[in-house]
Each structure stands twice: as C-alpha cells, then as structure tokens.
Amino acid sequence: MRYAIIAAGEGSRLAQEGIVAPKPLVKIQDETLIDRLIRIFMANGGEEIDVICNGLTQLVAHHLERIQQQGLGGKAVSLKWIQKTTPSSMHSFYELSHVMGNGPFVLTTVDTIFRPQEFTTYMAAFGQALGEGYDGLMGVTDYVDDEKPLYVGTDDGMNITGFYDTTNPPCKYISGGIYGLTPRALQTLGRCIERGESRMRNFQRALVSEGLRLKAFCFSKVLDIDHKSDIQKAEDFLK
C-alpha cells in the first residue's frame, strides 16, 4: 500500500503559543508527528511513503533526508519527499499526486492523531471496500473537537452522501482527515485545481458531485494538533 502525508502547513498557531519546532517535528509521547505516522504506515504494509513539506524551514527536509538514508527505528523506509510551499492543503496534495503512482493510497495530514489499532482495522476495511468497488474509504469520527469541523452525511450503510460546513442536514460524523482513495480521485483533484478551488473539504465535495462511491469508517477519536493544549490532549488520548 502507498501512503502519503501532507506536512506542509506552517503551524503558525503553535508558533504563536511558544512551540519552536515546526509542526511535523512536534513530539507526542517522545516521538515526532512525522515519525509516528511513518512508523504506523510501515506497520500496515507501507510499500512507499510520499511526503510534502514546505520551504519555510530546512529542519523537516533534513529530517526526512535522514530517514530516507538511514531508515527509522532500524528499518529501511521507502520514502519519497518533495519540498514546496503551497497556498493550501489541497494544493499540497496536488503537488504530492505527481509522485504517487497509479495504485490506491491512504493520505493524511501530519498532525492527524488516531489509535494505531483502529488504523489497522481501517486498513482491512479499506481493502474490503476496494473489493466491493468503492472509490474511497474516509475516516470519520463522532468525537467533535475541531474549530471548523467538516460534517459528513451518511446513509444506514455508511455510504457518504455529502460533506457540509454545518449540521444542516443533521450529521452524526465529522471528517477525521484520513482519506483512502483510488487513482480516480486524482482526476477529480486535478479538475478542482483547474477551477481554482482550494481546501480539502471542497475536494471531498467534488468527489461526491462527480459520483465517486465513498464509504465512511468511524474512528473512536481523531485529534489534530493545532494548539499547544492539543499536545497534552493527544498524550492523554494515547495513554
């Protein structure tokens, strides 16, 4: 399986609150966010991991270069990474898509925190969804701790019916920022860029409007590291 990580955000809110390290190098349980994801992806059949970081600092690029050359935790990592500053996460995804090949993939942002055991279950469900002809399995959660959540509409079979900025229509879940997709989704991404759109939520809406079959998988919790206080929340969640 191919995995992709968007690690190109500025982490400006963390910096304003006194966190010196760039977001990918912030530590949870004495492990950087980027290392944590790479480790989990490798444990779940990661044949290749593709990462984009920004050009505002060389620290993340140097860190990725060391992993590329020396591996992680004594294990070799098939890692590709690019460095480019982009205006949005969707644009980062688009730049990353140029090196991602033609197979199914799982994409997350670098600060997405979930339980590793649940992710393994998610990956098994993604394989099953692919076998049933779905174009994507999106990680969702009913735990809402986000400043601007993206609500996910589902039917009784957990098929996704829409993505919304509000709970009208009523929605049980919000997006967890974990995207398991087929290459067909990259065609939709290209058309979003051509139209001048940005933000991952608009890409997800385009997937639905273009008729891709998407299913939701519920995680107990998914956290993002946007503020200094989120670091402690993540530590407590993972204990």
Side-chain angles (χ1 to χ4, degrees):
M1 177 62 66
R2 184 182 297 267
Y3 294 93
I5 303 171
I6 297 174
E10 296 181 22
S12 56
R13 286 171 290 189
L14 286 170
Q16 290 169 3
E17 295 171 6
I19 301 298
V20 176
K23 184 181 282 190
L25 302 184
V26 168
K27 289 189 175 183
I28 302 293
Q29 295 185 319
D30 294 322
E31 185 178 33
T32 67
L33 292 173
I34 188 70
D35 287 4
R36 181 177 188 273
L37 282 180
I38 291 174
R39 173 178 58 81
I40 293 171
F41 293 163
M42 291 295 292
N44 285 274
E47 297 172 358
E48 181 174 299
I49 299 172
D50 303 320
V51 182
I52 181 170
C53 62
N54 66 47
L56 302 178
T57 174
Q58 294 300 312
L59 293 175
V60 178
H62 291 161
H63 187 82
L64 293 171
E65 188 173 22
R66 282 195 299 272
I67 294 174
Q68 194 176 49
Q69 295 174 353
Q70 302 173 15
L72 182 68
K75 296 181 180 179
V77 179
S78 179
L79 176 68
K80 288 183 181 178
W81 60 276
I82 57 176
Q83 185 176 25
K84 187 168 185 177
T85 302
T86 63
S88 75
S89 56
M90 193 176 81
H91 286 82
S92 294
F93 180 23
Y94 179 69
E95 295 298 331
L96 202 52
S97 71
H98 299 321
V99 301
M100 286 173 52
N102 295 316
F105 61 91
V106 174
L107 168 79
T108 72
T109 54
V110 75
D111 62 335
T112 305
I113 302 294
F114 46 79
R115 289 193 173 101
Q117 305 95 314
E118 287 187 278
F119 186 78
T120 297
T121 305
Y122 164 80
M123 289 305 300
F126 182 36
Q128 182 176 342
L130 291 174
E132 294 172 356
Y134 281 91
D135 298 297
L137 183 68
M138 315 298 265
V140 302
T141 180
D142 57 7
Y143 173 77
V144 182
D145 184 31
D146 197 302
E147 295 172 350
K148 295 181 180 179
L150 177 63
Y151 295 93
V152 183
T154 56
D155 64 15
D156 292 340
M158 292 295 281
N159 297 292
I160 293 176
T161 57
F163 295 94
Y164 310 98
D165 290 329
T166 68
T167 54
N168 185 23
C171 299
K172 182 177 180 180
Y173 303 108
I174 66 168
S175 173
I178 301 167
Y179 317 98
L181 295 164
T182 65
R184 184 180 174 192
L186 299 181
Q187 300 174 21
T188 301
L189 175 65
R191 287 188 282 271
C192 288
I193 295 295
E194 289 173 2
R195 292 193 294 266
E197 296 177 0
S198 62
R199 305 190 72 190
M200 286 296 289
R201 61 184 57 198
N202 292 326
F203 162 67
Q204 292 176 81
R205 291 183 179 118
L207 293 174
V208 173
S209 66
E210 292 191 5
L212 277 71
R213 294 182 65 206
L214 304 176
K215 196 167 187 175
F217 176 93
C218 185
F219 285 77
S220 61
K221 282 185 182 182
V222 180
L223 305 178
D224 293 332
I225 307 299
D226 293 320
H227 296 280
K228 185 176 181 179
S229 60
D230 294 332
I231 297 173
Q232 188 60 53
K233 285 182 184 178
E235 295 269 4
D236 294 340
F237 168 55
L238 294 173
K239 283 181 181 177

